[in-house]
């Protein structure tokens, strides 16, 4: 995709960054991080995302930064002080880059945040909107603190800041919980999810990247925060049905009460895992659609089909 801006991309080897990398002409792109992406022959600078790095060389001539790099959410984090570790990269490293970017004349800084800034669940509540901020873990707190720092910097320097908070991101190469659901769905056994009629928002990685690109030069994106999703919220029951349909199988679901899942979660100390499966987490992405006239180019069914195809090709 041709973008008439000189862009700096961080996190180019990550799940989102690696897709975005292939959408922007190499002649308009500079990337940096710990390691260069495989088979990449464009401009790469090796940097640590911390409070001490001098990014001056990479920032020369840059108009827009898309900041995907982060210390990601970690299950069973063994750090003695997880919040301090998240802050080193997600807050201090981000703010160091943003300050230098503003000083170098960068016009727009696009920050890929997380729905964890908004909270963990909307069960019994309305869908999250951009003003909702109630993080409950160190990762979410660090992303909220980074948002705060960037917005204050924008007021002082005039550099435009765009914040994007995606919910669960899926697509080819997805890991963590979604990958585990793919493995589970690929089994020949019935699954006990017929009674799980919750609602969760997700975003296909190609849809998210399409929205990021829209934010690169859309004038109305300046200094805005956006929640972005596919626009079709799925229950766990529906998600497994979509996945198994893409695998050429029937859903084959058994009616096990949701309360039983929660009881097992409490008894095993896995209530957080259970909640992510059975509770609601919905986002209202109408602002992204209306203000920027954006429509996701791919449906949920297309996104899941592409994810399943990749899973079956590489597993």
């Amino acid at each position: 995709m041709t973008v008439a801006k000189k862009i700096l991309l961080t996190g180019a080897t990550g799940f989102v960054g690696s897709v975005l990398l292939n959408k922007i002409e190499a002649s308009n792109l500079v990337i940096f991080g710990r390691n260069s992406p495989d088979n990449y022959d464009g401009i790469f600078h090796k940097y640590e995302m911390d409070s001490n790095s001098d990014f001056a060389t990479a920032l020369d001539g840059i108009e827009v930064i898309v900041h995907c790099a982060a210390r990601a959410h970690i299950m069973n984090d063994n750090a003695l002080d997880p919040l301090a570790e998240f802050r080193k990269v997600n807050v201090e490293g981000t703010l160091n880059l943003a300050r230098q970017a503003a000083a170098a004349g960068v016009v727009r800084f696009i920050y890929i945040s997380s729905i964890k800034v908004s909270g963990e669940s909307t069960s019994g509540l309305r869908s999250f909107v951009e003003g909702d901020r109630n993080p409950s873990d160190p990762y979410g707190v660090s992303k909220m603190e980074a948002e705060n720092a960037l917005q204050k910097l924008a007021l002082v320097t005039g550099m435009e800041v765009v914040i994007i908070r995606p919910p669960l991101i899926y697509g080819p190469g997805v890991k963590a919980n979604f990958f585990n659901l793919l493995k589970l769905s690929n089994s020949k056994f019935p699954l006990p999810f017929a009674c799980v009629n919750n609602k969760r928002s997700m975003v296909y990685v190609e849809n998210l990247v399409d929205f990021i690109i829209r934010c690169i030069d859309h004038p109305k994106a300046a200094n805005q925060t956006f929640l972005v999703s596919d626009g079709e919220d799925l229950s766990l029951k529906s998600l497994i049905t979509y996945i198994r349909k893409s695998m050429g199988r029937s859903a084959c679901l058994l009616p096990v009460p949701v309360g039983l899942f929660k009881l097992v979660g409490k008894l095993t100390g896995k209530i957080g895992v259970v909640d992510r499966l059975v509770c609601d987490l919905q986002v209202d992405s109408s602002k992204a659609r209306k203000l920027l006239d954006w429509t996701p180019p791919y449906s949920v069914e297309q996104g899941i089909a592409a994810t399943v195809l990749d899973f079956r090709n590489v597993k």
Side-chain angles (χ1 to χ4, degrees):
M1 183 175 295
T2 301
V3 177
K5 301 280 185 182
K6 192 70 172 180
I7 297 167
L8 172 66
L9 171 65
T10 74
T13 59
F15 184 42
V16 176
S18 60
V19 176
L20 186 57
L21 177 67
N22 293 318
K23 301 290 184 181
I24 301 174
E25 294 287 341
S27 60
N28 292 327
L29 189 65
V30 173
I31 65 174
F32 76 63
R34 291 181 177 178
N35 301 292
S36 177
D38 294 337
N39 303 315
Y40 179 73
D41 57 4
I43 300 174
F44 170 77
H45 297 276
K46 186 177 179 66
Y47 287 115
E48 292 289 331
M49 183 55 61
D50 56 30
S51 60
N52 299 313
S53 294
D54 183 347
F55 305 118
T57 302
L59 290 169
D60 185 37
I62 296 297
E63 297 171 86
V64 177
I65 292 177
V66 180
H67 185 38
C68 298
R71 185 175 193 263
H73 179 62
I74 299 170
M75 299 297 293
N76 302 316
D77 196 341
N78 294 319
L80 294 177
D81 188 346
L83 181 55
E85 294 302 312
F86 281 118
R87 280 172 170 159
K88 286 178 183 177
V89 177
N90 298 349
V91 184
E92 297 164 18
T94 295
L95 192 55
N96 181 34
L97 172 62
R99 284 171 175 157
Q100 293 186 44
V106 171
V107 175
R108 181 170 290 186
F109 191 103
I110 300 174
Y111 180 58
I112 309 305
S113 187
S114 168
I115 198 58
K116 283 184 169 288
V117 171
S118 302
E120 293 288 340
S121 172
T122 56
S123 293
L125 306 171
R126 57 163 172 73
S127 299
F128 284 137
V129 294
E130 284 75 9
D132 292 320
R133 293 151 62 83
N134 186 31
S136 62
D137 67 6
Y139 172 72
V141 170
S142 73
K143 298 297 268 188
M144 183 182 72
E145 291 178 349
E147 288 188 14
N148 291 342
L150 289 170
Q151 289 170 332
K152 290 178 181 177
L153 186 68
L155 290 174
V156 173
T157 65
M159 181 176 69
E160 298 170 354
V161 168
V162 182
I163 295 168
I164 301 173
R165 278 188 222 147
L168 185 149
I169 308 168
Y170 69 98
V174 69
K175 304 297 183 186
N177 291 335
F178 201 99
F179 181 75
N180 291 332
L181 282 179
L182 290 171
K183 290 195 297 182
L184 194 62
S185 300
N186 198 43
S187 71
K188 298 178 181 179
F189 304 106
L191 298 176
F193 303 132
C195 293
V196 186
N197 292 306
N198 59 335
K199 292 293 183 180
R200 294 188 74 89
S201 300
M202 306 187 302
V203 63
Y204 179 40
V205 66
E206 292 278 356
N207 287 338
L208 175 57
V209 164
D210 186 79
F211 183 72
I212 292 171
I213 291 173
R214 177 68 60 95
C215 289
I216 286 175
D217 56 13
H218 199 298
K220 292 184 179 180
N223 300 314
Q224 297 291 335
T225 298
F226 296 102
L227 304 186
V228 60
S229 74
D230 290 332
E232 180 183 349
D233 298 341
L234 298 181
S235 64
L236 180 59
K237 173 184 175 180
S238 298
L239 176 57
I240 296 296
T241 300
Y242 267 132
I243 291 173
R244 282 193 152 173
K245 178 182 178 181
S246 294
M247 292 176 170
R249 297 179 176 170
S250 63
C252 198
L253 299 176
L254 300 177
V256 176
V258 172
L260 184 58
F261 285 108
K262 293 187 176 183
L263 176 61
V264 172
K266 289 179 180 178
L267 294 175
T268 60
K270 300 290 187 181
I271 190 62
V273 175
V274 171
D275 283 346
R276 280 186 286 275
L277 287 174
V278 305
C279 291
D280 298 333
L281 197 162
Q282 295 178 272
V283 307
D284 181 348
S285 60
S286 60
K287 177 181 174 181
R289 296 161 186 266
K290 293 176 182 177
L291 188 62
L292 303 193
D293 192 27
W294 178 75
T295 301
Y298 298 93
S299 68
V300 170
E301 190 165 7
Q302 289 173 316
I304 290 176
T307 307
V308 167
L309 179 61
D310 176 78
F311 169 78
R312 304 194 80 172
N313 285 339
V314 302
K315 69 180 180 64

